[in-house]
Amino acid sequence: MSRYVVIGAGAVGATLAAELHTAGIPVVLVARGAHLAELRWSGLHYVRPDGEHVVAVPVAAGPDDVELRAGDVLVLATKAQDAEAAIAEWAWQPVKDADGGTVAAADALPIVLLQNGLDTERVALRRFATVYGAVIWSPTVYVTAGEVVSPADPAVGVIWVGRYPSGRDARLEEVAADLRAARHLVEVVDDVPRWRAGKLLQVIGNALDALYEPGPLRGRAAAALRAEARQVLRLAGESPADLRAETTLDLERFAVRPIPGRPTAGRSTWQSLARGASPESDFLNGEITLLARLHGSEAPRNAAVLARVHQAVREATPVGSLDDADLLRVLPDLAVLVDPDSLAEELAGANPPMLLDVRWALGDPHGREHHREGHVPGAVYVDLDTELAAHPADPTQGRHPLPDVEDLQAAARRWGISAGRPVVVYDATGGLAAARAWWLLRWAGLTDVRLLDGGLAAWTAGGRPVETGPGPDPEPGDVELTGGHMPVLDADGAAALARTGVLLDARATERYRGEVEPIDPRAGHIPGAVSAPTGDNLASDGRFRRADELRARFAELGAAGKVGVYCGSGVSAAHQIAALTAIGVDAALYSGSWSAWSSDPDRPVATGPEPGSS
């Protein structure tokens, strides 16, 4: 019978050791510090749904306390950040063979790796000849020295295990049988890296669980991190397994039961920070950041969360104490954008967003027909000209002045918008029209409004379904709107900002220079305004450029401090404001824009490539 040397006595390691010991399978649990002292003094206090048990599992302080022998199995249950040091420490320990000689553990013994992330197996394979990678689900909590709380029943955990980098062998089948005897559901897989990548997607939001109070925004942030991670894994040639969909295990046997007097704790990163230990985020969010950079890209969301975790460690921030405002400072694009993967996940959730299809383009009056030809399932058509703008007789108010808030509220209720339900808007032109709805609803007091990044093209690019016909006839909503929640400029304010701050002209450069003017009375631009075509916010695939690229673009334009934006009629300027908001820069909209300015003969006009002066 194999003896298991479980290195790391945290939640996963202590649970496994307790169950092996209870099953009569030889085991040694390697612990350290106060935890080791408590285990030696009074045994492991193992709290289960049926009560508290004291398990007298044998413990050791390290390799000097354990005489390794042929037939042992090493199980590494440390956190990922501690794995390399532990592997180096144990790899070259002597193992007694049957003839009384010794051989290095790395050559004689297999090692089973239970870490999150994708790094540990490669580290181990540099030294150990036989490496078994594993994915584990375990709700066990370790916060107090000498105690673990294991609420799952009847199975205490789920393990997918395979030889790394691929395959299986007879010894692995024996290990799997022992793990099953230790009340774990176990499946042996031939492609364990895929399963490891699938687990990484599941735990990529652990840092958010550790830092932020629960709520819809935190859930959306986790979905955004997963979506970015999925894109990076795809770029790296990885094909993550869907653990629930692909497993052959009966997961009904793995259920978390409430334990009286033991409140639910957070995930592994939460537990680490609660104990004052280092987090594993470098091997979760940091792994995605690394993979992106290795393949010539970036993972700005995961990089930002990684940096925030380490700031929290430096400042000893209490677990779960940060609010939504802090999260939006870390991930400002959450207030603006949702990617197709995240949207699909939200649509399948408990509070799916309301979808608005704002199919409009200058010179194309057939938006409703385009909607009928194909739209995101469930999306309601919104007419920009009649529902997102007023129609005054005075041309100095522009072609698309802001509607009365009462009219906008009536339209929003007609679309089915209700209090507490998120809204996602999209179009087929990279958000250039939908951004008007995004801005207008935020101006009217809705805070949970976002743009589908890349619009309909990004949705269909992933093979997602579209719906044809007129779309749903929604139940009337009950939303209440009030204007004034986004900053606006009138003509005098725009003129002043062009002198004292930065006023961005979001039209095409030839219109800014005054070379052409297809629709408005005069050609040129507001004196002092800076040319910043809205189209430059988008990458070649029609999605918003990366945050670092947008920051560089607007920094070069001098867009800091007081910023305002205008365009032809106040539509594409909203897209510019969305891009600025996504990087944490506030900007005001001159809603009348050039159509209003150029209709007033008393307003000066500048031409040419330079801002000019008023």
Side-chain angles (χ1 to χ4, degrees), residues 211 273 276-279 306-318:
L211 296 179
L273 294 184
S278 63
L306 180 62
R308 187 64 184 91
V309 169
H310 284 285
Q311 179 188 348
V313 171
R314 290 194 308 272
E315 297 172 352
T317 303

Side-chain angles (χ1 to χ4, degrees), residues 298-353:
E298 292 291 335
R301 288 170 173 164
N302 279 276
V305 168
L306 180 62
R308 187 64 184 91
V309 169
H310 284 285
Q311 179 188 348
V313 171
R314 290 194 308 272
E315 297 172 352
T317 303
V319 291
S321 64
L322 300 179
D323 59 13
D324 284 357
D326 184 276
L327 182 51
L328 284 175
R329 284 191 290 272
V330 175
L331 299 174
D333 66 308
L334 289 182
V336 181
L337 302 174
V338 60
D339 57 79
D341 286 343
S342 299
L343 178 59
E345 187 173 322
E346 291 182 35
L347 289 172
N351 188 30

Side-chain angles (χ1 to χ4, degrees), residues 30 42 127 295 308 347 362 371 390 429 466 498 553 563 595 597:
V30 179
S42 60
R127 301 169 175 91
H295 290 83
R308 187 64 184 91
L347 289 172
L362 188 63
H371 173 81
T429 53
V466 295
R553 160 173 158 75
V563 180
S595 60
W597 184 280

Side-chain angles (χ1 to χ4, degrees), residues 368-386:
R368 191 175 295 276
E369 288 83 353
H370 298 323
H371 173 81
R372 288 176 179 270
E373 291 166 0
H375 53 267
V376 178
V380 174
Y381 177 70
V382 173
D383 186 82
L384 188 146
D385 282 321
T386 63

